Amino acid sequence: MQHVDVAVIGAGPAGLAAAVKARASGVKKVVVIERTKYPGGLLEQCIHNGFGLHYFKEDLTGPEYAARFVEKARDLNVDMRLDSMVLNISGDRRISFVNKRDGLVTLTAGAIVLAMGCRERTGPSIMLAGTRPAGIFTAGTAQRYINIEGFIPGKEIVILGSGDVGMIMAKRLSLEDVEVKAVVEILPYVGGLIRNEVQCIHDFEIPLMLGHTVTEIHGRDRVEAVTVAKVDKNRQPIVGTMKRIKCDTLLLSVGLIPENELSRMAGVKLDSTSGGPIVDETMQTSVPGIFAGGNVVHVHDLVDHVTEEAEAAGASAAKYIMGKLKSGIRKLNLKAGENIKYVIPHTITGEKEVILYARVKEPAMKVRVKVGNIFNKPLRVVRPSEMLKIHLSPRELEKGRDGLTELVVSCVGKEQQNKKINIS
Amino acid sequence: MVKPLETEVLIIGGGINGTAIARELSKYKIDVTLVEKEVDVSFGISKGSNGQVYTGLEMALSLALKKVAGTVSEEMEKAKERICDQGYRLWEQMFHELEIPYRVVGLMVIATNAEEFQKLNAMHKQYAKNYGLKILGKEEILSIEPNVTQEAIAGLYEPGHMMVHNPFDAVIALAENAKDNGIRILLNCEVSAITKGKGFQTVETSNGRIKTRFIVNASGRYVDKIAAMAGPCGFGFQCFKGHLLITDKNVGGIVNNVITTPPLPGIAKVVQPTVDGNLRLGTLYEETKDRFDHRTILSGMNEVMERARSLVPSLSPRDIITYFTGTRMFSNRDAAEYIIESPKENPKFISVGPGMPGFTPAPAIAKIVVERLENEGLQLVERRDFNPYRKNITRFSSLSNPQKADLIRREASYGHVLCRCEHVTEAEVVESIRRGATTLDGIKFRTRAGMGRCQGGFCGPQVVEILARELNIPVTHVTKRGGKSRLLLYQTKELLKTHRRNRDDAAC
Amino acid sequence: MAGNECKQGRSYILQEFKLSMRILTATVQTEGCSRPTLSVKSSKPLPKSMLRRCMLILSEVKAKPGLHMGDVLIKNIFDTGVDIVCTKEL
């Protein structure tokens, strides 16, 4: 049986970053196992720009961002197995994968980095009623069809969900002369970045229906229309507000979930709020020697953060196999407090500086982000679609030395903001 | 003028009855043609079946449910029991011969309140002596099914009298075996008119004219419409629509048996393990005037979910990966009746109606139909080369590691896994196309590609590409299930170029 | 301008006010290649109002194999001083 030092599952931005970092940290044998034909993961189909503004200080498209890491991986002789599907991972770090050329391969790894990314929520996950015709796609799959395969699903489209993927598809389709009849969003505010709201929706004068949802799909063989209704504050459709929109395609942009099948197989403990593995500040999961980074841990908005997080995982994997990964003496649990949905990592030692990622539940203005008694920063605006990055310096962590077992991360403020935030 | 196709027996309908009858007839030296309106077999009412072949207590429950729905005579009830009993035994043999995946489970009927407890007692009195069952207490119930509700006060448990399977697996297997044994199957072939001549009948179809001696009308939802083409139709149906929810495999193991409650008016609750390891939650049966209405309704799905949770509280909407409706039809003369009927003027035209259960009795009904045909003059000479065995497509995901390795060495495309949820390989998809799948749903039913938690999000583009390649058609012609269900309507740039041309034309 | 945290944001807002400029990202069809599409972008932002006209031009382009990231497909589109360049290898 083959043995590798570090095995990385997935050659998307997370996997590539982890692999490159592990090699650069001195690990000899690094293998990346990727299920599609090309490295780069979802970046290959994200042909729009906006990537790398933080990491490279450049405005790159998805493929260009990916290419930087693919090149580094090639230069560092990372063993890339493409078109290879991992079938099984065990808790003792045995991996089985298959591809046409090598057949069934089983290898053992000194350390594993899980970087499988996320998948899209489907229609059934939101109990979308009606018929089951052709013409219903998740936004990411539609993106793949247009940008990779070269096909457009239809010419009159309704998009459910105003997350970034949905909005970007609204723009992409409009540029291909598809009529985007509406972007329907159940919340009273847009689900993605403001930049996308401007450049994707307003630029193309696409009707944005906030506080609405699609209640029914019509059409026997192919989508013919959808029924849209206004929702109340409990997000339930209001009777009498139903409107029928004629269309031949429905795109669903209703959320992303970390891919956790392989994580489960390996016995890794998951957090149901973030959707991914429970990790400490080294990005190690509950199984020793198995690390994770990127969207597989929690869904990010910026690929730059994915890279940073995965680099941390890769560096830790390297330290682990060299016997240099120290487990801290203390373990501080990070808890989600007021208006915080989740915090990553789940535990820190408090012995060195660390970066926390957190998401708020509701948008708010003039708030203070607090971490226990040791961190307190005012912010003008917070939104669920924009992740908080909290840097805890050694000095701040010093403050929390005595007798603490947990730190509550919270976002407190006077004003709750539910309406669109005007740039004025 | 094109010569009409001449055959001895024409079967109209490629559902469970049509294919079971076809397979039965394929044992004899007879020219048989099966015509199916849709692009593939099982695409009609059959694919929405519950996928249960049963006898014993569940059969008793099913009869009780019919009584709630409509009139049931004792004579019909007895006939039904006989047919289903025979069907069950025939299925035991056929599941093996045809390599149809199935799983034997038991039935756990629980009572959670006084009304249900009363019903349970009545059931016990009526059926216990036949089946040797005793009423279990809460402790015993939870020891068999630890994840069932704590509100359970009493129960009846009958192990091993239900075989759960996928309805389309059975229909496809029957069709393949029938075809293998010489039956001609014409797809995309819709019947529009039937005329009786001297010694033969002429059937007009969308594929041309067919001349036949005998007709078996097993056309499911259309059975009365087709029957009316051949003479006065004496039967009718009561139709119900049922919602079925499928859970993620992650929660598939929380129960091992079918869990249900005693049937009360308007309330049917079922949590059923499937052969593949999911759970099927059902069923809210609502009477419908439109047997073609297959829309799901939010209130219906919520109702099914609530009922399922009342049986197994740890289930949640988050566990649901897909849902659909199924049509249930039974005779409006007697809810237990299985219609096998001819008009007086045309005894060589036999209608076989859908019923409930629809799958359990099918092999027995097939034998009855063949007997009828013989009585009407069909010569039954056994074929010595009849092959009862049919091999299913090798399921890569169910093999051991050494078996997988070996398979890839022999055929490299087994090494390309394109459905990450169900671990379906390119080789299986190609094989399914070779066996007759021409659509995404056809591939889905034969390989499971697209049935996992991502519902085709990952494998979809790859399956589309393979279909286009294998069938040598443009990608824009690939359909979900035939007809107008094209998946991708345009190539990129097509709309831009069309609009540009239109603008340029307008400008001239 | 409430809530801005970023220097780029300020110049972005001012730019929005004066003349909305956008980087165009799209795909072009390929010829003689196993990959059916090639992703491209404009080397600099273009006026928002020109994007559609550029898309119409791009709909006629057929990229051939051998192209590298950064290669120019269309030089100085509509005399704007902006090029359309490849963002992938072909």
Side-chain angles (χ1 to χ4, degrees):
Chain A
M1 202 185 302
Q2 289 178 52
H3 178 84
V4 297
D5 298 316
V6 174
V8 178
I9 318 292
L16 290 170
V20 163
K21 191 67 172 193
R23 274 291 287 141
S25 308
V27 175
K28 290 215 167 55
K29 267 185 162 189
V30 176
V31 73
V32 178
I33 309 169
E34 163 60 42
R35 69 188 186 188
T36 66
K37 263 190 288 201
Y38 306 105
L42 291 174
L43 290 176
E44 290 302 289
Q45 64 187 59
C46 293
I47 61 157
H48 50 279
N49 57 310
F51 301 92
L53 292 167
H54 299 266
Y55 193 84
F56 291 116
K57 307 264 181 289
E58 293 176 62
D59 187 3
L60 301 173
T61 61
E64 288 170 315
Y65 188 96
R68 301 270 169 107
F69 292 90
V70 172
E71 208 180 302
K72 274 196 226 175
R74 291 223 172 99
D75 290 342
L76 290 171
N77 282 324
V78 167
D79 181 1
M80 201 92 76
R81 306 294 179 99
L82 300 171
D83 241 343
S84 303
M85 182 71 78
V86 172
L87 298 180
N88 198 281
I89 301 186
S90 64
D92 58 354
R93 299 193 299 278
R94 219 178 313 205
I95 301 171
S96 305
F97 68 88
V98 289
N99 64 42
K100 281 183 177 174
R101 189 193 63 178
D102 307 317
L104 181 98
V105 178
T106 311
L107 46 83
T108 54
I112 295 179
V113 178
L114 302 171
M116 299 88 72
C118 59
R119 67 171 187 274
E120 298 182 280
R121 296 186 83 206
T122 59
S125 68
I126 54 167
M127 292 284 204
L128 200 46
T131 52
R132 299 189 348 145
I136 305 168
F137 301 89
T138 50
T141 303
Q143 189 182 52
R144 191 194 154 84
Y145 277 124
I146 297 191
N147 293 338
I148 307 277
E149 319 285 337
F151 294 97
I152 298 175
K155 71 170 161 42
E156 288 180 308
I157 293 189
V158 170
I159 300 178
L160 176 58
S162 64
D164 288 321
V165 191
M167 291 200 284
I168 283 161
M169 282 308 289
K171 173 174 178 175
R172 181 77 185 94
L173 290 162
S174 301
L175 283 172
E176 291 281 344
D177 252 12
V178 171
E179 191 186 347
V180 181
K181 294 200 131 176
V183 169
V184 179
E185 168 58 52
I186 200 168
L187 295 174
Y189 47 85
V190 152
L193 304 169
I194 292 289
R195 164 184 64 181
N196 286 329
E197 189 183 340
V198 172
Q199 294 193 15
C200 302
I201 313 255
H202 299 311
D203 269 10
F204 295 91
E205 287 166 26
I206 295 171
L208 176 63
M209 301 175 74
L210 295 175
H212 282 72
T213 192
V214 171
T215 54
E216 197 178 341
I217 302 174
H218 306 275
R220 205 194 157 80
D221 294 322
R222 177 80 199 189
V223 172
E224 283 165 23
V226 294
T227 298
V228 175
K230 202 159 175 216
V231 297
D232 59 26
K233 59 182 190 310
N234 293 320
R235 304 193 201 163
Q236 295 303 311
I238 301 173
V239 175
T241 64
M242 317 304 200
K243 215 176 96 161
R244 199 172 153 120
I245 304 181
K246 179 173 167 291
C247 59
D248 61 17
T249 308
L250 174 66
L251 250 48
L252 301 172
S253 175
V254 293
L256 300 166
I257 323 169
E259 291 268 38
N260 46 37
E261 281 158 15
L262 295 176
S263 313
R264 267 184 221 261
M265 261 188 226
V268 165
K269 284 209 197 90
L270 303 175
D271 169 7
S272 58
T273 330
S274 56
I278 293 176
V279 290
D280 64 21
E281 70 203 289
T282 68
M283 300 312 288
Q284 182 160 227
T285 67
S286 61
V287 175
I290 299 187
F291 301 81
N295 282 346
V296 77
V297 178
H298 61 131
V299 177
H300 288 259
D301 336 301
L302 299 180
V303 75
D304 312 62
H305 293 159
V306 163
T307 300
E308 283 166 7
E309 197 174 77
E311 281 179 341
S316 300
K319 285 207 185 106
Y320 180 83
I321 62 160
M322 293 181 214
K324 293 190 192 144
L325 193 72
K326 282 185 232 133
S327 53
I329 305 160
R330 295 168 73 224
K331 196 167 125 169
L332 281 170
N333 290 320
L334 290 168
K335 287 229 133 78
E338 186 179 326
N339 198 18
I340 295 286
K341 189 170 173 212
Y342 66 78
V343 185
I344 301 288
H346 297 79
T347 64
I348 59 174
T349 58
E351 287 158 19
K352 51 184 159 76
E353 67 183 312
V354 69
I355 291 181
L356 308 180
Y357 288 111
R359 269 201 201 278
V360 297
K361 287 187 196 165
E362 303 274 337
M365 287 188 88
K366 297 209 186 106
V367 295
R368 293 198 150 262
V369 174
K370 294 191 193 168
V371 179
N373 285 331
I374 67 174
F375 181 95
N376 190 323
K377 184 178 170 188
L379 279 180
R380 254 185 262 240
V381 154
V382 288
R383 290 181 203 99
S385 62
E386 283 165 28
M387 191 134 70
L388 300 177
K389 193 172 167 184
I390 300 166
H391 178 225
L392 294 179
S393 67
R395 200 166 44 123
E396 277 151 344
L397 290 163
E398 273 291 323
K399 287 192 244 166
R401 285 263 142 183
D402 316 301
L404 277 182
T405 53
E406 77 171 34
L407 284 172
V408 178
V409 180
S410 57
C411 180
V412 298
K414 282 180 282 177
E415 286 173 48
Q416 291 294 86
Q417 169 75 322
N418 275 338
K419 300 202 188 75
K420 194 170 73 164
I421 293 168
N422 285 313
I423 304 167
S424 59
Chain B
M1 199 183 88
V2 183
K3 231 184 105 177
L5 172 70
E6 286 192 29
T7 190
E8 206 166 355
V9 179
L10 176 69
I11 302 172
I12 304 176
I16 183 58
N17 284 325
T19 54
I21 293 163
R23 196 242 184 182
E24 190 61 29
L25 282 171
S26 75
K27 294 176 181 170
Y28 306 99
K29 290 185 189 161
I30 309 168
D31 188 301
V32 181
T33 306
L34 185 152
V35 293
E36 163 57 50
K37 166 183 186 287
E38 303 290 340
V39 73
D40 207 339
V41 298
S42 83
F43 273 23
I45 193 177
S46 290
K47 67 174 166 34
S49 163
N50 280 345
Q52 295 171 0
V53 167
Y54 53 89
T55 184
L57 188 59
E58 174 69 8
M59 183 57 64
L61 266 178
S62 151
L63 283 165
L65 202 65
K66 298 300 167 318
K67 285 188 181 141
V68 163
T71 35
V72 173
S73 72
E74 198 170 329
E75 181 199 341
M76 287 295 172
E77 209 177 300
K78 290 258 178 312
K80 183 187 189 118
E81 271 183 287
R82 268 196 319 266
I83 291 180
C84 287
D85 239 8
Q86 193 191 8
Y88 186 90
R89 276 178 278 119
L90 288 167
W91 273 117
E92 281 182 307
Q93 193 185 359
M94 274 160 51
F95 276 139
H96 287 284
E97 288 176 337
L98 301 174
E99 255 192 21
I100 300 167
Y102 76 100
R103 184 175 154 193
V104 179
V105 295
L107 178 66
M108 171 78 81
V109 187
I110 65 174
T112 59
N113 57 43
E115 200 184 356
E116 288 173 350
F117 185 64
Q118 241 185 354
K119 273 270 166 172
L120 196 73
N121 262 317
M123 278 180 67
H124 178 244
K125 282 204 182 71
Q126 241 190 315
Y127 304 112
K129 50 180 173 347
N130 294 336
Y131 304 117
L133 304 169
K134 63 176 180 65
I135 296 199
L136 304 175
K138 179 171 164 175
E139 292 290 302
E140 292 167 289
I141 296 172
L142 291 175
S143 70
I144 301 170
E145 289 286 4
N147 293 309
V148 140
T149 176
Q150 295 284 326
E151 314 274 311
I153 48 184
L156 279 174
Y157 174 58
E158 183 187 51
H161 276 80
M162 299 187 67
M163 296 187 284
V164 294
H165 66 104
N166 293 316
F168 40 84
D169 278 344
V171 175
I172 288 166
L174 285 162
E176 281 181 14
N177 189 230
K179 194 165 167 197
D180 197 37
N181 285 300
I183 305 290
R184 185 184 302 111
I185 298 183
L186 301 175
L187 303 165
N188 280 320
C189 191
E190 182 175 355
V191 168
S192 51
I194 301 174
T195 24
K196 184 160 173 282
K198 223 174 160 186
F200 63 87
Q201 310 182 60
T202 306
V203 179
E204 300 295 338
T205 78
S206 52
N207 265 13
R209 184 174 290 181
I210 300 178
K211 237 173 105 168
T212 180
R213 273 185 76 203
F214 300 90
I215 298 179
V216 175
N217 167 24
S219 49
R221 287 192 180 100
Y222 302 88
V223 76
D224 39 4
K225 177 177 167 210
I226 301 282
M229 291 180 190
C233 173
F235 52 84
F237 294 94
Q238 243 191 314
C239 302
F240 290 80
K241 186 169 86 173
H243 279 73
L244 288 144
L245 274 50
I246 308 287
T247 72
D248 192 309
K249 283 183 182 179
N250 279 339
V251 298
I254 62 181
V255 295
N256 297 308
N257 298 284
V258 174
I259 316 288
T260 188
T261 50
L264 295 173
I267 304 180
K269 304 187 205 183
V270 182
V271 174
Q272 179 214 308
T274 69
V275 62
D276 304 298
N278 313 82
L279 291 180
R280 236 178 222 257
L281 312 181
T283 351
L284 174 75
Y285 286 126
E286 288 183 315
E287 188 156 9
T288 177
K289 289 278 174 276
D290 180 2
R291 65 182 76 161
F292 295 99
D293 175 14
H294 55 286
R295 294 171 301 167
T296 54
I297 308 172
L298 184 59
S299 58
M301 296 191 282
N302 283 334
E303 184 68 45
V304 172
M305 196 66 233
E306 276 320 296
R307 293 181 185 185
R309 280 160 61 81
S310 73
L311 295 175
V312 184
S314 54
L315 288 172
S316 97
R318 268 211 253 176
D319 298 320
I320 305 301
I321 62 171
T322 190
Y323 39 72
F324 45 89
T325 58
T327 309
R328 305 284 176 266
M329 289 167 63
F330 40 85
S331 165
N332 57 10
R333 296 187 297 220
D334 188 316
E337 177 187 11
Y338 281 116
I339 295 167
I340 306 173
E341 193 162 305
S342 309
K344 245 191 332 196
E345 310 84 349
N346 193 352
K348 292 188 169 66
F349 178 94
I350 306 176
S351 288
V352 181
M356 220 181 135
F359 273 63
T360 306
I365 289 176
K367 287 203 189 285
I368 295 173
V369 171
V370 171
E371 210 180 290
R372 279 286 168 98
L373 290 168
E374 193 183 26
N375 289 344
E376 288 303 322
L378 180 65
Q379 286 267 50
L380 297 182
V381 178
E382 280 186 19
R383 290 181 50 214
R384 248 169 292 149
D385 59 347
F386 171 72
N387 178 15
Y389 300 104
R390 164 256 185 194
K391 285 211 114 311
N392 199 355
I393 297 175
T394 306
R395 200 157 278 181
F396 179 82
S397 60
S398 63
L399 302 176
S400 68
N401 274 0
Q403 285 173 324
K404 283 177 177 156
D406 187 55
L407 199 58
I408 301 173
R409 267 191 290 268
R410 282 189 278 129
E411 172 51 62
S413 58
Y414 274 106
H416 178 203
V417 172
L418 44 80
C419 170
R420 28 66 102 238
C421 302
E422 302 288 317
H423 286 175
V424 180
T425 64
E426 181 181 339
E428 292 161 82
V429 171
V430 170
E431 174 67 20
S432 74
I433 297 172
R434 206 186 57 75
R435 290 190 187 208
T438 54
T439 60
L440 288 175
D441 279 2
I443 291 173
K444 183 170 78 168
F445 287 169
R446 287 169 176 79
T447 65
R448 288 193 59 77
M451 283 194 178
R453 58 183 64 91
C454 89
Q455 290 289 293
F458 178 70
C459 67
Q462 299 183 77
V463 174
V464 165
E465 189 188 9
I466 295 174
L467 256 175
R469 180 188 82 201
E470 295 291 317
L471 297 178
N472 207 10
I473 57 174
V475 166
T476 47
H477 287 200
V478 170
T479 65
K480 185 177 188 291
R481 50 167 178 262
K484 298 206 186 87
S485 67
R486 288 191 181 180
L487 205 74
L488 301 158
L489 302 182
Y490 307 99
Q491 272 208 325
T492 63
K493 315 305 167 195
E494 204 178 314
L495 292 173
L496 279 168
K497 287 189 201 172
T498 315
H499 296 165
R500 180 186 208 182
R501 235 178 291 130
N502 289 345
R503 272 213 341 240
D504 291 345
D505 288 344
C508 296
Chain C
M1 271 190 298
N4 66 313
E5 296 263 318
C6 146
K7 291 195 193 73
Q8 285 170 323
R10 188 180 168 82
S11 58
Y12 169 82
I13 303 299
L14 292 171
Q15 199 181 55
E16 281 293 303
F17 261 152
K18 291 181 193 158
L19 174 67
S20 301
M21 303 286 276
R22 304 273 180 262
I23 300 243
L24 173 65
T25 56
T27 57
V28 296
Q29 288 182 305
T30 63
E31 202 164 54
C33 200
S34 59
R35 287 211 226 201
T37 63
L38 170 68
S39 53
V40 299
K41 74 173 184 189
S42 59
S43 55
K44 283 184 284 204
L46 289 159
K48 193 165 78 171
S49 52
M50 286 201 83
L51 294 183
R52 192 156 186 281
R53 249 179 295 168
C54 294
M55 285 302 293
L56 287 169
I57 297 287
L58 288 177
S59 71
E60 306 289 343
V61 170
K62 287 265 165 42
K64 296 216 168 57
L67 286 166
H68 299 284
M69 200 174 304
D71 283 356
V72 174
L73 268 180
I74 300 179
K75 190 129 187 84
N76 192 11
I77 194 166
F78 289 124
D79 227 4
T80 53
V82 178
D83 302 331
I84 304 293
V85 301
C86 303
T87 55
K88 258 189 208 171
E89 307 273 310
L90 204 55

